[in-house]
């Protein structure tokens, strides 16, 4: 394949996970960075839903006159689905993969170990994790028989990076870039260049629990839930105070529902466990709502009914 002139050098991207985030990442990559995307999810039903969302968003852009029908077809044509039975081997030829599966360290470590074994040794392994340690994920890609200090071990871990997109990906203008202790400068710069090609602003955070974004956002949402739990104000008064008083697009309880209460709890626990600081204790009401299966918008019930 001919070398490309763009600094990120990504001629083909793999996206792992066809949920809201993975689908959004596939869409902005195909539409803004104009790279061919291979989308993989072990659930064909999830892929069907994800592609349905892509089609809906492209139709909207055509109806609003932001894309011609041909441009929309080109974007859609750049997104190809990896057949489920091919597994990660279907991603073998990509220059970078962005993983967007659920926030679960053992799951991510297993996925990264397998990706590292399947993909070319120079392919970038990026994760959309919202709070998990990049350094722990990078440590899982050391090939069998190598160690963290051998040349091959170091080279493999050096290609892991955090590319944290925000929901809804096509709308939110930010990508947070996170470097593991092992990440190389080249990996970091190529990942930054790719996010810029997706027309995102890039900020950089060290590998600390929650990075900058969620270390600041989640305690705010958790505190709003504690206010509701303590009966300090009603749901609507809490949300209206922040929406109208501070010009936030959504109130904190509405935003927690939008992100998913299971995701909020997982991130809050990462902050609590990762720092040992009691200020990050998850609200009991948040724990109970997740116990009840009330996960917010995606489950039809959270602080609001959908
Ligand atoms: N996917 C794609 N596009 C979407 C969308 C979705 N799920 N939901 C809304 N949009 C688009 C709409 O199509 C519309 O696009 P258009 O201007 O091209 O027509 C635009 O967003 C505005 O939508 P609406 O007019 O329907 O509604 P609002 O004006 O209320 O905006 C919102 C919706 C953009 C979601 C706005 O309420 C908002 O910005 N909310 C805050 C979102 C936020 O904070 N996200 C970050 C969450 S934290 C995170 O992701 C990090 C993770 O680690 C937890």
């Amino acid at each position: 394949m001919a070398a490309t002139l763009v600094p990120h050098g990504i001629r083909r991207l793999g996206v792992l996970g066809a949920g809201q985030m993975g689908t959004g990442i596939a869409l902005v990559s195909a539409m803004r960075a104009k790279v061919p995307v291979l989308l993989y999810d072990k659930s064909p039903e999830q892929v069907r839903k994800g592609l349905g969302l892509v089609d809906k968003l492209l139709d909207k852009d055509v109806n609003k006159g932001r894309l011609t029908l041909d441009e929309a077809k080109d974007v859609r044509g750049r997104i190809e689905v990896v057949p489920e039975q091919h597994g990660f081997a279907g991603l073998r030829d990509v220059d970078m993969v962005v993983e967007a599966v659920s926030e679960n360290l053992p799951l991510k470590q297993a996925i990264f170990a397998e990706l590292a074994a399947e993909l070319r040794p120079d392919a970038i392994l990026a994760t959309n994790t919202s709070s998990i340690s990049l350094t722990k994920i990078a440590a899982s890609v050391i090939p069998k028989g190598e160690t963290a200090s051998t040349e091959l071990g170091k080279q493999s871990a050096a290609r892991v990076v955090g590319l944290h997109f925000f929901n809804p990906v096509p709308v939110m203008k930010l990508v947070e870039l996170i470097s593991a202790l092992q990440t190389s400068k080249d990996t970091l710069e190529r990942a930054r260049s790719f996010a810029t090609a997706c027309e995102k602003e890039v900020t950089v955070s060290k590998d600390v629990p929650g990075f900058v974004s969620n270390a600041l956002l989640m305690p705010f949402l958790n505190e709003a839930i504690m206010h509701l739990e303590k009966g300090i104000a009603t749901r609507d008064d809490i949300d209206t105070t922040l929406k109208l008083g501070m010009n936030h697009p959504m109130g904190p309880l509405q935003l927690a529902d939008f992100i998913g209460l299971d995701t909020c709890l997982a991130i809050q626990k990462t902050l609590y466990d990762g720092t040992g600081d009691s200020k990050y204790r998850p609200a009991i009401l948040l724990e109970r709502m997740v116990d009840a299966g009330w996960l917010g918008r995606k489950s039809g019930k959270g602080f609001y009914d959908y």
Side-chain angles (χ1 to χ4, degrees):
M1 209 182 286
T4 162
L5 292 175
V6 278
H8 53 69
I10 312 297
R11 292 158 301 184
R12 187 181 295 174
L13 178 78
V15 175
L16 194 65
Q20 279 221 55
M21 298 303 289
T23 306
I25 294 166
L27 179 59
V28 296
S29 304
M31 182 149 77
R32 308 276 173 223
K34 297 190 167 51
V35 296
V37 176
L38 289 176
L39 180 63
Y40 175 81
D41 195 298
K42 64 179 180 358
S43 154
E45 173 59 14
Q46 193 59 56
V47 171
R48 198 188 53 75
K49 272 195 204 158
L51 291 180
L53 178 63
V54 166
D55 290 339
K56 200 173 118 196
L57 293 172
L58 287 174
D59 280 351
K60 183 198 68 181
D61 282 341
V62 170
N63 290 335
K64 290 201 164 186
R66 289 191 291 232
L67 284 182
T68 65
L69 199 53
D70 283 346
E71 284 167 337
K73 276 189 186 154
D74 283 348
V75 173
R76 183 63 186 78
R78 283 196 278 272
I79 303 177
E80 197 185 318
V81 174
V82 176
E84 183 206 345
Q85 64 273 20
H86 290 194
F88 294 175
L91 296 170
R92 199 167 277 161
D93 288 334
V94 302
D95 301 294
M96 173 161 94
V97 67
V98 183
E99 164 274 319
V101 306
S102 52
E103 285 295 271
N104 175 324
L105 176 63
L107 174 68
K108 288 191 196 277
Q109 284 174 319
I111 286 176
F112 272 73
E114 202 179 328
L115 283 173
E118 285 290 352
L119 270 55
R120 287 199 321 269
D122 62 332
I124 295 178
L125 307 177
T127 170
N128 181 53
T129 182
S130 44
S131 64
I132 291 178
S133 162
L134 257 299
T135 302
K136 280 188 182 157
I137 296 175
S140 62
V141 305
I142 296 173
K144 282 204 172 68
E146 302 293 330
T147 71
S149 53
T150 60
E151 215 35 59
L152 277 179
K154 282 194 275 187
Q155 273 171 21
S156 189
R159 59 198 173 127
V160 173
V161 68
L163 267 183
H164 182 205
F165 287 81
F166 293 79
N167 189 16
V169 178
V171 180
M172 307 305 282
K173 298 192 176 80
L174 184 72
V175 166
E176 195 176 30
L177 184 66
I178 305 106
S179 173
L181 277 188
Q182 305 94 320
T183 308
S184 70
K185 203 159 180 268
D186 178 63
T187 301
L188 207 60
E189 287 317 312
R190 287 178 63 201
R192 178 202 293 275
S193 163
F194 182 74
T196 306
C198 291
E199 298 179 5
K200 302 296 182 190
E201 264 313 309
V202 177
T203 56
V204 180
S205 172
K206 284 196 174 153
D207 182 22
V208 295
F211 319 131
V212 169
S213 55
N214 281 324
L216 298 181
L217 175 65
M218 286 302 155
F220 162 57
L221 303 186
N222 195 52
E223 197 61 38
I225 298 167
M226 286 181 171
H227 271 58
L228 182 68
E229 192 175 50
K230 290 179 194 154
I232 292 169
T234 63
R235 172 196 76 180
D236 291 349
D237 280 354
I238 292 170
D239 275 353
T240 304
T241 302
L242 274 295
K243 264 164 69 177
L244 302 187
M246 285 85 192
N247 249 358
H248 289 192
M250 287 175 165
L253 301 172
Q254 209 185 356
L255 181 56
D257 270 1
F258 180 71
I259 292 169
L261 301 185
D262 51 343
T263 303
C264 291
L265 180 60
I267 299 172
Q268 192 67 21
K269 280 185 172 164
T270 301
L271 294 175
Y272 189 39
D273 297 343
T275 61
D277 194 329
S278 62
K279 76 179 177 187
Y280 294 119
R281 178 181 68 75
I284 291 168
L285 178 59
L286 175 61
E287 303 232 30
R288 289 296 166 268
M289 291 188 65
V290 174
D291 290 342
W294 298 348
L295 306 182
R297 206 179 270 213
K298 65 181 162 191
S299 74
K301 180 161 179 58
F303 294 105
Y304 295 79
D305 291 322
Y306 300 91

